[in-house]
């Protein structure tokens, strides 16, 4: 029916054109008479008459230019097979959908020219990338995770597959060396780090921009000084001769774990930042790559470990009030209060009751568990609700810390520092406009409270109660 209507439209158009060519006077003659032939028209009239019959919408058909035709003749057979691969729906090589889409767009942008071949021969870019992959163990990775194809003596279809396989291997390596081989949630839920994988398009553009693909891939590994030191120590231990195999193996395993952990951190820690080394029980303040201050710290005990995180420190409280966490209130202080109704008041703690609940706090002062200055991270911690966010606090400690005390963990998620040194002026000045400084007036501590130290260490609660009942004396580490 559509074709018939289209024919009718064409016939009607032709009829209009024919009638337009008949002189108007002939239409008035009798229909039974034969109309005389019109006089021959002048060339100008013929041109005017024939012009409407031309169809301006009909044009010469355009022939699509094959982009592969612009390539070197030696590269065209391989490029055609690469195009055929992406035309087919297959995840045989690229199992990651995002990486497959990025690879397809990348090869299309270069007219499907192979990345690792020049005129069917393995190029310098491929040799550099393969050398980097074979040395993956230098970055603490497993060489066997990165399959390297061969390019020698292959037909175009096999060469195209080898080119794509090496591309997929390079994408996997760059993702592993930057963000790690597995999600850190498999290790612990007490971690909150970016673990940002690189964009596949960025990886492909980086290796395509240079013949030294190995150097381009190096940019995706962590650039922190700590990572570089771990990498150097790993090479030294592996090359050491005469070392005890058991001891060396344990050291290497520790280094590998720490190198993997560094891949989870952000690439840019800022010109001014604080690094808390939990296994070493130290805190370092860094400014423009140099250490400007350091102190010893106490970390959370194994049952309540200090979380592993990277966050912007936005809140500083001077002379803070310590609000005792509910877990310590119910597990430690309420049982102690049931045995001795005056123990908490002698420790400088305030107990308040509201709505059937109880809360305990400690006012500002020399014996405050949080010290004189509290650096607080406002973001909720992993495993804790946003309604009751956890707190990671860095604060000077009131009692002198002996080195032996640092060999064990304290309580809660708090990092407590030693006041043996004062950070220099401007050490924490990162040029941020988001600092929030909260100051409260310090209240003098009672005589019996001055030497108690931090009352939230569960393994010292019994000792603190005894000291509060007797003459005040400083808490000594033994």
């Amino acid at each position: 029916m559509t074709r018939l209507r289209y024919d009718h439209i064409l016939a009607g158009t032709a009829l209009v054109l024919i009638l337009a060519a008949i002189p108007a006077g002939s239409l008035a003659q009798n229909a039974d008479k034969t109309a005389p032939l019109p006089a021959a028209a002048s060339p100008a009239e013929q041109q005017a008459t024939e012009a409407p019959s031309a169809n301006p919408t009909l044009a010469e058909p355009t022939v699509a230019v094959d982009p592969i035709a612009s390539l070197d003749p030696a590269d065209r057979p391989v490029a055609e097979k690469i195009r055929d691969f992406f035309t087919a729906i297959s995840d045989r090589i690229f199992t990651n959908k995002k990486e497959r889409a990025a690879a397809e767009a990348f090869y299309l942008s270069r007219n499907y020219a192979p990345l690792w071949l020049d005129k069917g021969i393995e190029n310098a870019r491929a040799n550099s990338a393969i050398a980097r992959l074979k040395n993956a163990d230098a970055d603490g990775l497993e060489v066997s995770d990165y399959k390297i194809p061969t390019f020698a003596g292959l037909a175009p279809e096999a060469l195209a597959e080898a080119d794509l396989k090496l591309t997929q291997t390079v994408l996997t390596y760059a993702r592993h060396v930057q963000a790690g081989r597995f999600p850190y949630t498999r290790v612990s839920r007490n971690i909150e780090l970016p673990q940002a994988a690189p964009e596949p398009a960025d990886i492909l553009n980086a290796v395509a921009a240079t013949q030294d693909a190995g150097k381009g891939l190096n940019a995706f590994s962590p650039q922190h000084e700590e990572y570089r030191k771990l990498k150097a120590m790993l090479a030294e231990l592996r090359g050491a001769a005469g070392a005890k195999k058991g001891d060396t193996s344990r050291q290497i395993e520790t280094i590998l774990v720490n190198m993997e952990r560094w891949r989870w951190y952000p690439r840019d820690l800022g010109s001014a930042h604080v690094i808390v080394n939990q296994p070493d029980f130290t805190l370092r303040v860094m400014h423009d790559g140099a250490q400007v201050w350091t102190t010893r710290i106490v970390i959370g005990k194994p049952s309540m470990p200090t979380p592993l995180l990277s966050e912007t420190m936005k809140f500083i409280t001077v002379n803070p009030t310590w609000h005792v966490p509910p877990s310590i209130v119910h597990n430690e202080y309420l049982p102690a209060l049931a045995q001795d109704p005056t123990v908490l008041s002698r420790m400088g703690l305030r107990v308040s009751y509201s709505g059937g609940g109880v809360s305990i706090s400690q006012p500002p002062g020399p014996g405050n568990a949080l010290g004189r200055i509290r650096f607080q991270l406002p973001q909720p911690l992993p495993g804790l609700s946003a309604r009751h966010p956890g707190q990671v606090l860095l604060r000077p400690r009131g009692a002198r810390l002996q080195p032996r005390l640092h060999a064990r963990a304290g309580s809660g998620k708090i990092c407590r520092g030693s006041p043996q040194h004062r950070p220099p002026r401007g050490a924490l000045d990162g040029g941020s406009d988001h600092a929030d400084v909260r100051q409260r007036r310090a209240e003098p501590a009672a005589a019996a409270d001055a030497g108690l130290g931090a009352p939230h260490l569960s393994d010292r609660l019994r000792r603190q109660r005894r000291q509060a009942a007797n003459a005040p004396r400083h808490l000594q580490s033994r």
Side-chain angles (χ1 to χ4, degrees):
M1 181 62 71
T2 304
R3 179 58 181 267
L4 291 176
R5 290 179 179 175
Y6 183 70
D7 293 340
H8 291 167
I9 293 173
L10 292 179
T13 304
L15 180 60
V16 171
L17 294 176
I18 293 173
L19 291 177
I22 299 175
S26 65
L27 295 177
Q29 297 179 2
N30 194 324
D32 295 335
K33 296 181 180 180
T34 303
L37 293 175
S42 64
E45 291 175 337
Q46 290 180 357
Q47 185 177 1
T49 304
E50 294 173 357
S53 63
N55 190 348
T57 61
L58 297 179
E60 291 283 340
T62 58
V63 179
V65 178
D66 188 354
I68 295 179
S70 63
L71 303 179
D72 188 282
D75 289 327
R76 293 174 191 172
V78 178
E80 290 176 354
K81 297 303 180 181
I82 292 177
R83 179 173 60 185
D84 293 343
F85 171 83
F86 287 115
T87 302
I89 301 176
S90 173
D91 58 356
R92 184 166 50 89
I93 296 179
F94 298 95
T95 57
N96 185 301
K97 293 182 179 180
K98 185 175 182 181
E99 291 182 352
R100 188 189 192 282
E104 183 174 4
F106 171 77
Y107 277 97
L108 176 61
S109 68
R110 50 192 287 118
N111 297 331
Y112 298 102
L115 178 61
W116 312 106
L117 298 169
D118 288 335
K119 299 180 181 181
I121 302 175
E122 183 178 347
N123 57 26
R125 181 184 297 112
N127 293 329
S128 178
I130 291 173
R132 179 79 184 192
L133 296 173
K134 289 182 177 180
N135 196 36
D137 57 349
D139 281 276
L141 302 175
E142 294 289 341
V143 177
S144 59
D145 290 342
Y146 312 105
K147 306 301 181 183
I148 300 174
T150 181
F151 293 94
L154 299 180
E157 183 174 0
L159 283 174
E161 183 171 329
D163 196 274
L164 295 173
K165 284 183 176 179
L166 183 55
T167 297
Q168 189 276 333
T169 300
V170 166
L171 289 173
T172 301
Y173 172 83
R175 173 163 40 86
H176 286 179
V177 79
Q178 174 166 317
R181 291 171 291 174
F182 52 85
Y184 59 67
T185 51
R186 297 182 184 178
V187 177
S188 172
R189 297 181 60 85
N190 200 39
I191 303 175
E192 189 68 28
L193 294 170
Q195 197 176 16
E199 290 294 330
D202 295 339
I203 302 172
L204 295 175
N205 291 331
V207 296
T210 175
Q211 289 296 317
D212 191 355
K215 184 177 180 181
L217 289 173
N218 183 63
F220 294 96
S221 64
Q223 303 299 311
H224 307 105
E225 181 184 359
E226 291 81 0
Y227 183 87
R228 292 196 296 267
K229 288 182 177 180
L230 288 170
K231 187 175 180 178
M233 180 59 68
L234 178 63
E236 181 180 338
L237 289 175
R238 284 174 170 169
K244 294 182 179 179
K245 186 175 181 180
D247 295 341
T248 304
S249 298
R250 284 191 295 270
Q251 288 178 312
I252 290 177
E253 194 66 29
T254 301
I255 291 175
L256 294 178
V257 169
N258 281 276
M259 293 178 73
E260 183 74 8
R261 192 182 355 250
W262 268 108
R263 298 185 184 104
W264 304 342
Y265 279 88
R267 286 295 175 264
D268 184 11
L269 298 177
S271 60
H273 60 271
V274 176
I275 295 180
V276 174
N277 189 333
Q278 294 189 35
D280 194 31
F281 299 95
T282 59
L283 177 149
R284 293 184 297 144
V285 177
M286 308 296 295
H287 192 79
D288 292 335
Q291 177 179 302
V292 295
W293 185 64
T294 185
T295 184
R296 301 286 289 173
I297 62 169
V298 176
I299 64 174
K301 60 185 179 181
S303 60
M304 298 182 67
T306 300
L308 190 64
L309 56 83
S310 176
E311 184 55 82
T312 302
M313 194 179 297
K314 297 181 179 179
F315 300 96
I316 299 177
T317 304
V318 180
N319 294 324
T321 296
W322 181 47
H323 299 279
V324 183
S327 60
I328 299 179
V329 170
H330 293 282
N331 297 334
E332 301 181 14
Y333 286 167
L334 289 184
L337 190 63
Q339 298 178 15
D340 184 353
T342 64
V343 63
L344 298 184
S345 61
R346 295 200 308 272
M347 295 171 63
L349 300 176
R350 295 174 177 176
V351 182
S352 58
Y353 302 89
S354 176
V358 59
S359 60
I360 301 176
S361 62
Q362 186 181 34
N368 187 278
L370 303 181
R372 292 290 193 183
I373 301 177
R374 177 180 65 181
F375 299 91
Q376 182 175 342
L377 306 178
Q379 179 173 322
L381 299 181
L384 300 177
S385 66
R387 186 176 180 182
H388 299 94
Q391 296 178 349
V392 178
L393 310 172
L394 303 176
R395 60 93 171 170
R397 180 168 165 76
R400 183 174 181 272
L401 301 180
Q402 300 293 339
R404 186 172 298 178
L405 180 61
H406 301 298
R408 64 178 179 83
S411 173
K413 298 176 180 289
I414 299 177
C415 294
R416 294 179 296 280
S418 169
Q420 298 175 1
H421 305 283
R422 173 182 294 179
R425 184 181 300 274
L428 295 176
D429 183 9
S432 174
D433 297 329
H434 303 288
D436 182 2
V437 181
R438 306 174 182 178
Q439 183 167 354
R440 296 184 177 89
R441 180 170 39 181
E443 299 181 10
D449 304 332
L452 294 181
H456 60 304
L457 297 177
S458 58
D459 55 343
R460 296 183 185 178
L461 182 60
R462 199 169 292 175
R463 191 190 325 177
Q464 290 175 345
R465 294 205 310 265
R466 183 174 64 251
Q467 289 177 345
N470 302 325
R473 53 188 178 184
H474 290 281
L475 177 64
Q476 298 293 334
S477 304
R478 291 179 292 168

